[in-house]
Amino acid sequence: MRRRFKLNINHNSEFELDLAPLLAVMVKLVPVLLVSSAFVQMMIIETELPQVVQEAIKQQDNNVKSAHITLEVNKVDGVKIIVENNGEEKVEVIANKDKKIDLASLHAKLIQLKQANPQVFKIDLSPDADVAYKDLVAIMDEARKSKSNDIKFKFTDTKTGLESQTDYMFPEIVFSNVMDG
Amino acid sequence: MARNRYQVPTKKNQSFTLNITSMTDMFTILLVFLLQSFSAGEVTLEPVGGVRLPSSNTEKNPINGVKLSISPTELKYEETVVARIQNNQVEASAIDSSDSNFIKPLFDQLEAFNKKDPTLAKTGKVLLQADESLPYSTIRKIMYTASMAGFPNVKLVTTVSN
């Protein structure tokens, strides 16, 4: 009878992992990523001019019940919110705070407006010539989305007829006075 | 009498193993950081020198379009300077005499682009990198001219706010 060969395994042996190939890959990857990385992350804000939203404007014009909201921005007075609904016009002014636009009050007012007009997603922005670009971007930020996760707006999907919820308020912002003389 | 100099005994043919574990650790951290900041959008935008972009909470990645930039000193179409900016306004020589909002050199460049790349021009998209300090009147002139040249979809480029 043959004797079985018994493999001698030393369970206490130590070995060193060869990290050289891994390091070689990393040394090549790091410069590639360093070159191609964008450290200043840039995003875009969509704006639409009156020409491209003609159809939407026509639809809103045909729908007399739909409210039409305009924000007039003035460097001295602040933001004037004009709401035209069923031929009636309501004007409210969000006055400047410490010579700056009161963004918190504006946001709160826009939430109220959205809750009152859930089917309206488009607003007109009509700034004065001397209003700084960064102030306009800040206003657009306030109007686009609700900052609170608890506040959602119910609206009816026109295609399915089902009720949906969204945190978007007025994502379509049209510079209404671009083509004015 | 001169002293005998002490000589360190060295073995010429000795080999040694470099411990690269700590270096690999460092590279792993660096790689994770770089992969996180790696932009995976379809278009990568190069920041234009002298333009301080406003920050915004928008979550939309840049898309392809004609790249315009305006700093407190110059208005650029792609890399070409089309007009100078003086006191935050487009220089008078670049403005059409019959229309105060019309920037003639910009219109000419956009018209040329319409012929050069009709497919992209058809989308009518403009990516505008504008300095945050500029007044609306200057931005409006660019929007107006772009719109007249068949580029009514103006996308405002911003940085990500915290």
Side-chain angles (χ1 to χ4, degrees):
Chain A
M1 197 177 155
R2 268 205 268 173
R3 277 184 74 187
R4 274 193 159 181
F5 172 72
K6 205 175 175 185
L7 193 69
N8 188 21
I9 303 167
N10 181 8
H11 289 281
N12 298 322
S13 69
E14 279 185 6
F15 69 95
E16 217 169 275
L17 192 69
D18 186 13
L19 294 170
L22 183 68
L23 193 68
V25 171
M26 283 182 177
V27 166
K28 285 176 185 82
L29 259 176
V30 166
V32 170
L33 288 170
L34 268 173
V35 169
S36 58
S37 280
F39 292 101
V40 182
Q41 203 180 353
M42 289 194 275
M43 295 286 170
I44 56 163
I45 300 175
E46 302 247 13
T47 67
E48 287 188 333
L49 300 181
Q51 293 99 316
V52 283
V53 286
Q54 269 180 2
E55 206 175 310
I57 291 167
K58 270 180 201 168
Q59 278 179 359
Q60 274 203 348
D61 288 345
N62 294 339
N63 188 2
V64 187
K65 286 178 184 173
S66 171
H68 187 257
I69 302 163
T70 308
L71 303 184
E72 285 184 5
V73 190
N74 185 291
K75 211 175 174 181
V76 181
D77 301 332
V79 184
K80 192 195 264 185
I81 304 171
I82 305 162
V83 184
E84 286 174 55
N85 203 356
N86 290 328
E88 276 183 46
E89 192 179 281
K90 281 182 186 172
V91 181
E92 198 165 327
V93 179
I94 307 290
N96 284 349
K97 206 176 178 182
D98 302 329
K99 292 182 181 177
K100 283 181 180 175
I101 293 165
D102 188 356
L103 295 171
S105 303
L106 177 68
H107 188 71
K109 183 65 200 168
L110 289 171
I111 287 175
Q112 281 179 24
L113 276 176
K114 182 66 186 176
Q115 282 165 340
N117 307 284
Q119 290 300 122
V120 177
F121 285 90
K122 182 173 77 74
I123 56 169
D124 282 359
L125 190 59
S126 180
D128 279 1
D130 57 349
V131 177
Y133 175 50
K134 71 173 175 184
D135 290 337
L136 296 178
V137 171
I139 291 169
M140 288 163 96
D141 273 358
E142 299 300 327
R144 191 180 308 111
K145 230 175 173 183
S146 158
K147 284 182 176 174
S148 168
N149 290 329
D150 302 331
I151 301 170
K152 300 275 179 198
F153 307 100
K154 286 179 182 173
F155 72 101
T156 313
D157 190 341
T158 46
K159 280 184 183 173
T160 58
L162 297 170
E163 204 169 69
S164 303
Q165 275 194 336
T166 180
D167 53 355
Y168 277 100
M169 298 200 295
F170 306 104
E172 277 191 63
I173 298 165
V174 180
F175 283 92
S176 58
N177 60 351
V178 166
M179 306 311 277
D180 295 352
Chain B
M1 193 179 148
R3 266 203 261 172
N4 274 339
R5 271 196 164 180
Y6 173 73
Q7 272 194 340
V8 183
T10 50
K11 288 177 185 173
K12 298 274 181 193
N13 299 322
Q14 194 182 27
S15 67
F16 67 98
T17 322
L18 189 71
N19 189 3
I20 53 169
T21 316
S22 50
M23 199 177 179
T24 313
D25 286 350
M26 191 192 73
F27 269 99
T28 309
I29 294 163
L30 201 64
L31 198 68
V32 169
F33 166 74
L34 287 170
L35 280 172
Q36 200 189 2
S37 63
F38 186 73
S39 173
E42 57 178 296
V43 177
T44 44
L45 276 173
E46 292 282 321
V48 180
V51 177
R52 281 177 300 141
L53 295 172
S55 61
S56 156
N57 60 18
T58 180
E59 292 153 358
K60 212 162 164 47
N61 281 315
I63 49 161
N64 213 358
V66 179
K67 292 173 188 76
L68 298 180
S69 67
I70 179 162
S71 71
T73 53
E74 55 199 15
L75 167 64
K76 278 183 182 174
Y77 158 82
E78 304 283 350
E79 296 295 313
T80 319
V81 178
V82 288
R84 299 270 163 211
I85 308 295
Q86 288 163 349
N87 302 322
N88 284 342
Q89 295 294 328
V90 181
E91 61 178 347
S93 59
I95 303 287
D96 192 87
S97 54
S98 57
D99 190 345
S100 61
N101 286 323
F102 193 77
I103 308 166
K104 187 78 174 62
L106 178 63
F107 181 82
D108 293 342
Q109 291 281 0
L110 291 171
E111 275 278 284
F113 183 81
N114 270 329
K115 286 166 192 161
K116 200 175 99 184
D117 192 347
T119 322
L120 187 58
K122 224 174 186 178
T123 63
K125 285 170 186 162
V126 170
L127 294 175
L128 178 62
Q129 291 188 51
D131 193 276
E132 61 175 21
S133 63
L134 289 165
Y136 174 63
S137 57
T138 310
I139 309 287
R140 182 179 153 185
K141 285 184 176 79
I142 298 167
M143 287 169 131
Y144 177 84
T145 310
S147 180
M148 296 293 257
F151 294 87
N153 294 328
V154 181
K155 318 287 179 197
L156 307 174
V157 181
T158 62
T159 53
V160 179
S161 66
N162 297 319

